[in-house]
Amino acid sequence: MKRYFGLALITSVIGLSMGLNSCYYDNAEDLYPADTTTVVDTTIVYTYNAHAKTIIDANCATAGCHIAGTGRQPFTTYAEVSAAIQNFGLLGRLDGSTGAIMPPSGSLPSSQIAILTSWINNNYPEN
C-alpha cells in the first residue's frame, strides 16, 4: 500500500509540474511592446519656414519669453534664431545637454526636439 501511495505521489508531482509548465501563453503585445521612440524622416530637409518656425513660435517666441522687450534673445525672426544657434547654444538648451532645459515649463516633445535637431544639424536652412 505504501508502495502505491509513493508511486501515486510521484506521478501527481510530475503531472502537476508538467501541467504548470505547459500552460504558458504570451501575446505579441506583451513580448514586443510598441516602439515609442521618435523617428525623424531623414529624407525631409527641415527648414525654418516650413518646420522650425511653427515649433519656435508656439514654444519660445511667446509672451514673457523670447520676444522683444523681455531682455532675452528674441526668436521672432530667422536671423534672431540663427544667432541663438550660433552664439547661445540653442540646441544644447533644447535637448538638456547644457544643463538648462528650455522651455522652462518643461522639455519639448521628443518629436519636436528631433525636428529642430535635424534642422540645426543640417545648417538650419531658412527655406
Side-chain angles (χ1 to χ4, degrees):
M1 178 95 148
K2 288 183 179 180
R3 183 175 159 177
Y4 292 118
F5 178 72
L7 185 58
L9 180 62
I10 291 173
T11 306
S12 297
V13 169
I14 291 172
L16 182 61
S17 173
M18 290 175 62
L20 291 175
N21 287 330
S22 65
C23 294
Y24 181 75
Y25 175 75
D26 275 326
N27 60 41
E29 290 82 18
D30 291 338
L31 290 173
Y32 310 103
D35 185 6
T36 58
T37 52
T38 302
V39 177
V40 173
D41 188 344
T42 57
T43 61
I44 295 175
V45 176
Y46 294 99
T47 66
Y48 175 76
N49 290 325
H51 306 94
K53 184 175 182 353
T54 305
I55 297 169
I56 292 167
D57 285 351
N59 297 286
C60 309
T62 60
C65 285
H66 292 279
I67 58 173
T70 61
R72 295 181 184 94
Q73 168 73 29
F75 289 173
T76 54
T77 67
Y78 173 77
E80 292 166 344
V81 174
S82 63
I85 293 167
Q86 295 168 14
N87 303 320
F88 303 113
L90 177 62
L91 182 56
R93 293 174 187 250
L94 290 172
D95 66 15
S97 62
T98 61
I101 296 177
M102 292 292 157
S105 60
S107 184
L108 294 175
S110 60
S111 59
Q112 291 180 351
I113 292 173
I115 289 169
L116 292 173
T117 299
S118 178
W119 170 65
I120 291 169
N121 288 338
N122 285 301
N123 299 314
Y124 40 95
E126 185 173 4
N127 294 315

